[in-house]
Amino acid sequence: MQTSSDRHEYPAHWEADVVLRDGGTARVRPITVDDAERLVSFYEQVSDESKYYRFFAPYPRLSAKDVHRFTHHDFVDRVGLAATVGGEFIATVRYDRIGAGGTPASAPADEAEVAFLVQDAHQGRGVASALLEHIAAVARERGIRRFAAEVLPANTKMIKVFMDAGYTQKRSFEDGVVRLEFGLEPTDRSLAVQYAREQRAEARSVQRLLQPGSVAVIGTGRTPGGVGRSILGNVADAGYTGRLYAVNSAFPEDLKEIDGVPARRSVREIDGPVDLAVVTVPAERVPEVVTDCGEHGVQGLVVISAGYADSGPDGRERQRALVRQARSYGMRIIGPNAFGVINTSPRVRLNASLAPEMPRPGRIGLFAQSGAIGIALLSRLHRRGGGVTGVTGVSTFVSSGNRADVSGNDVLQYWYDDPETDVALMYLESIGNPRKFTRLARRTAAVKPLVVVQGARHGGVAPQGHAVRATRLPHATVSALLRQAGVIRVDTITDLVDAGLLLARQPLPSGPRVAILGNSESLGLLTYDACLSEGLRPQPPLDLTTAASADDFHRALSRALADDTCDAVVVTAIPTVGEGSAGDAALAAALRSAAAAVPAKPVLVVHVELGGLAEALSAAASTAPQAPQPAEPRPTEPAPAPTEPRTPPAEAEDTGPAGHRTPEAGDRRAAVPPHPRPAAPAAPHPAGP
């Protein structure tokens, strides 16, 4: 009989949260002597067929000897892991080290027999595949190099789990049983299988948050104003297509509606499922809300509430407890201290955020760790997204707040195969796992452009409240990793928006060769120098002189686009003194017409607008008090909510034909030049990427 002295210390580092195929979560941990009742309860919920597949015979209940054996392990030669949801077992896996002839053994024997049992209600969620990855890692740590498993031929699901794992295998059939043997050393195929499972699961978990069929705003105030009431109004005003509920425990019992939305005192009182809960109650009340949501089967949470790691050590522990509690119910969290989420798809139309207006629908995905920067990004994109080539807007927006659970990595997994997102823009104040982020960024950038602003530059210090440890790699090293991964790195959020607009409207250049033409010799030379500094190969600028007409621009742009030695064109334009809007319209029409004839090449226009300068000069000459203008936010500082837009001295516009879309994903990456930034001028106002 095994005694406590025979066992090694409990291996807490084997505990992990895993995301399952359907986007839910489960906790994987070692089975201990305290799990006897959980094991018995779990076994009672398994069907007779699954029990037969596990033990090769009718086995209606576990004996006391079985329970003891399956809960007492030494964590070296005998190990059991359980996947739990809500603290209860949904699946188990165990290995027993064996020697020659399959008899029990100890090290240095390096083979073990492995067996699974998954509760029927949770089969098909990828639980067994996740457990296999974890038990294989445990076995390698304990010196085991091979697994053996015996499976009944009719148990096709478990055979598929083993066969699809990607390990080098040997398969045989004897005595009516399929015997599988496989090495545990990772192979290219097993890693590919693991990454594919990870991508599907994490993408699905974010999809459940961004495409909910029903939303409850918990903490909705009884009177107008306040965060909860504002978010409820934002969701309703956006035309959300699902079911919407207002929840507040302080509602009178006879209150049935708030602003035409069904009102309930608790999420438990809602008839039917709730996919997403937006939590706006004070931090001290969040645990009871999470319990209600978990018991009701809510799939995910957006926690707007502050007072967590953003408020000091006590808040950080409160944040850890929040994540543990939510994951115990299989829920994922955006936040806490989040700004919210947006999905402009006409099938969803979700604005579960503090943004008072729904952004224009479009093909650009936005991720920001900072709510203030998120506001600035949405505002700039709204102001700049209605250019001459048609409206460009947002597909999805995520503000992660304290990033306690869902991070930029998860959102990248979602965007990777999201058919409604063509360009991904990310503002990152810190990168918790550079290796994983680089791997995901490289894969995403291979199918759609990924543009990143790095916010933190001081030794990887994350803003207060971020739960994920920031990388200690130097900023320059991280920048180099991003560049090697094919990421387009920019320095400001203005550049981030401009790059997104350009990439959403135009194809990528097929190479680094850039033609430059325009009616300003100075702008042409500055553009030439900017291209050189980015590793591009600019041609000498063509000066059309200030006397150039719209027809002159059309002919010059047409020649440049027809030139096989040109991969992209930058047009610089200043207005002729005294020329009115009719001249501007004629020039825009001429450029669009020329660009439409060769849609495979990108065209970027840098134009100087005297109108904005004239307005600024007029204001400066006035003696009336002037409101202070907001400063351009630095990447490392929170940006205030933008006020009335100002017209900058120069703007960059892309002139591809209206409605023109970039080539398919498979064609885009082949067109990326050695330094994957589109051609961009540097002055007077560098608005290109």
Side-chain angles (χ1 to χ4, degrees):
M1 181 175 179
Q2 186 185 39
T3 66
S4 59
S5 61
D6 298 324
R7 298 194 306 272
H8 287 249
E9 187 174 333
Y10 178 80
H13 65 286
W14 292 351
E15 296 181 357
D17 292 314
V18 297
V19 183
L20 304 178
R21 184 177 297 154
D22 62 357
T25 64
R27 182 74 170 171
V28 173
R29 64 169 179 82
I31 299 174
T32 72
V33 296
D34 298 324
D35 289 321
E37 291 185 7
R38 292 186 183 89
L39 182 65
V40 171
S41 176
F42 159 71
Y43 194 75
E44 289 175 349
Q45 298 178 64
V46 175
S47 69
D48 290 340
E49 181 182 54
S50 294
K51 293 173 182 176
Y52 186 89
Y53 285 155
R54 170 64 177 86
F55 293 104
F56 299 177
Y59 214 86
R61 64 187 57 85
L62 296 174
S63 67
K65 184 178 180 180
D66 292 328
V67 173
H68 184 276
R69 180 167 182 266
F70 294 153
T71 56
H72 287 64
H73 306 98
D74 62 8
F75 302 127
V76 176
D77 299 328
R78 299 178 59 249
V79 172
L81 300 180
T84 68
V85 173
E88 300 301 319
F89 287 7
I90 64 169
T92 62
V93 62
R94 57 179 291 106
Y95 78 65
D96 293 86
R97 196 187 300 258
I98 57 176
T103 58
S106 298
D110 60 359
E111 185 173 1
E113 189 172 51
V114 65
F116 291 82
L117 185 59
V118 180
Q119 200 176 99
D120 294 68
H122 294 275
Q123 291 178 10
R125 301 183 64 199
V127 184
S129 296
L131 282 177
L132 179 57
E133 290 177 12
H134 283 261
I135 197 71
V138 168
R140 288 194 295 269
E141 182 180 327
R142 296 310 195 202
I144 293 172
R145 296 291 174 259
R146 294 184 306 282
F147 271 167
E150 293 187 343
V151 186
L152 290 175
N155 193 359
T156 55
K157 291 181 181 178
M158 189 52 62
I159 292 175
K160 181 174 174 57
V161 168
F162 287 122
M163 297 300 293
D164 290 348
Y167 296 110
T168 302
Q169 300 187 7
K170 182 172 70 173
R171 182 176 178 179
S172 60
F173 182 80
E174 52 185 76
D175 298 329
V177 174
V178 177
R179 181 175 176 82
L180 299 167
E181 299 178 40
F182 49 95
L184 299 182
E185 288 302 314
T187 65
D188 289 343
R189 183 165 177 266
S190 70
L191 289 175
V193 168
Q194 178 180 337
Y195 293 154
R197 185 195 68 79
E198 172 192 74
Q199 191 275 327
R200 287 192 302 268
E202 293 178 357
R204 175 59 178 152
S205 73
V206 174
Q207 182 186 43
R208 299 203 311 180
L209 294 163
L210 293 176
Q211 300 180 23
S214 52
V215 172
V217 180
I218 304 176
T220 302
R222 286 174 287 177
T223 58
V227 173
R229 188 69 173 265
S230 298
I231 291 179
L232 182 75
N234 293 343
V235 177
D237 292 345
Y240 174 56
T241 60
R243 298 176 302 279
L244 178 61
Y245 303 94
V247 177
N248 191 328
S249 61
F251 284 160
E253 292 187 9
D254 60 348
L255 183 66
K256 301 302 180 184
E257 287 189 353
I258 287 282
D259 296 335
V261 176
R264 301 290 186 269
R265 291 165 56 86
S266 168
V267 73
R268 295 174 186 253
E269 297 178 4
I270 296 175
D271 295 328
V274 174
D275 296 331
L276 177 68
V278 183
V279 181
T280 67
V281 301
E284 62 269 16
R285 289 193 50 218
V286 170
E288 65 183 84
V289 168
V290 174
T291 298
D292 287 347
C293 290
E295 295 295 333
H296 192 69
V298 173
Q299 294 185 347
L301 307 172
V302 174
V303 181
I304 308 296
S305 313
Y308 287 89
D310 49 286
S311 63
D314 291 343
R316 186 173 294 277
E317 181 52 43
R318 192 158 49 240
Q319 183 166 297
R320 294 191 186 102
L322 168 65
V323 174
R324 288 194 300 267
Q325 183 186 13
R327 285 178 174 172
S328 73
Y329 289 106
M331 296 184 293
R332 298 211 69 184
I333 298 174
I334 291 178
N337 197 27
F339 183 75
V341 297
I342 295 173
N343 186 347
T344 66
S345 167
R347 296 178 289 102
V348 183
R349 294 200 56 79
L350 175 68
N351 180 13
S353 79
L354 292 166
E357 293 184 12
M358 187 78 151
R360 293 186 182 98
R363 315 290 300 183
I364 297 175
L366 290 178
F367 174 86
Q369 293 173 0
S370 161
I373 296 296
I375 296 171
L377 283 172
L378 289 172
S379 177
R380 279 163 172 72
L381 193 59
H382 182 79
R383 284 155 44 191
R384 300 292 310 282
V388 296
T389 58
V391 172
T392 300
V394 175
S395 61
T396 48
F397 166 80
V398 175
S399 169
S400 63
N402 290 2
R403 201 174 44 142
D405 180 17
V406 172
S407 69
N409 286 347
D410 297 292
V411 178
L412 273 181
Q413 300 278 40
Y414 172 78
W415 281 337
Y416 172 69
D417 55 9
D418 175 28
E420 299 187 15
T421 300
D422 290 339
V423 180
L425 308 183
M426 306 187 78
Y427 173 82
L428 302 177
E429 291 170 336
S430 59
I431 300 176
N433 185 341
R435 179 175 297 179
K436 181 175 181 179
F437 179 81
T438 303
R439 171 169 59 85
L440 299 184
R442 178 179 294 109
R443 184 180 58 185
T444 302
V447 297
K448 55 189 67 174
L450 172 59
V451 190
V452 171
V453 169
Q454 290 172 257
R457 296 173 179 269
H458 307 293
V461 177
Q464 186 177 11
H466 283 199
V468 180
R469 181 176 299 174
T471 173
R472 295 299 175 184
L473 294 176
H475 188 271
T477 302
V478 175
S479 297
L481 289 173
L482 295 180
R483 183 172 287 106
Q484 291 170 10
V487 173
I488 302 171
R489 194 190 64 78
V490 295
D491 295 323
T492 70
I493 60 173
T494 297
D495 290 346
L496 187 68
V497 170
D498 287 337
L501 291 173
L502 176 64
L503 293 165
R505 291 167 168 164
Q506 299 257 9
L508 292 177
S510 59
R513 302 166 300 181
V514 181
I516 303 168
L517 61 94
N519 62 354
S520 168
E521 182 180 13
S522 298
L523 283 182
L525 292 174
L526 288 170
T527 302
Y528 181 86
D529 290 340
C531 291
L532 287 176
S533 69
E534 295 299 329
L536 300 172
R537 290 162 50 190
Q539 299 173 1
L542 173 62
D543 181 16
L544 301 178
T545 77
T546 56
S549 65
D551 288 340
D552 294 331
F553 272 93
H554 183 279
R555 285 190 292 271
L557 179 56
S558 296
R559 286 194 299 269
L561 291 172
D563 186 353
D564 292 337
T565 65
C566 162
D567 301 309
V569 181
V570 178
V571 178
T572 63
I574 60 173
T576 302
V577 175
E579 186 176 23
S581 58
D584 293 340
L587 177 58
L591 295 176
R592 287 185 61 183
S593 173
V598 188
K601 291 184 180 181
V603 177
L604 179 67
V605 176
V606 178
H607 58 99
V608 176
E609 290 188 300
L610 291 180
L613 177 60
E615 292 175 4
L617 290 172
S618 297
S622 172
T623 58
Q626 299 296 316
Q629 294 289 350
E632 172 75 7
R634 298 176 181 272
T636 53
E637 299 174 353
T643 56
E644 195 68 25
R646 290 185 297 165
T647 304
E651 298 286 355
E653 294 286 354
D654 50 284
T655 61
H660 173 68
R661 296 291 308 285
T662 52
E664 291 301 313
D667 299 326
R668 298 178 67 110
R669 178 49 41 186
V672 177
H675 292 268
R677 289 192 184 187
H685 177 76

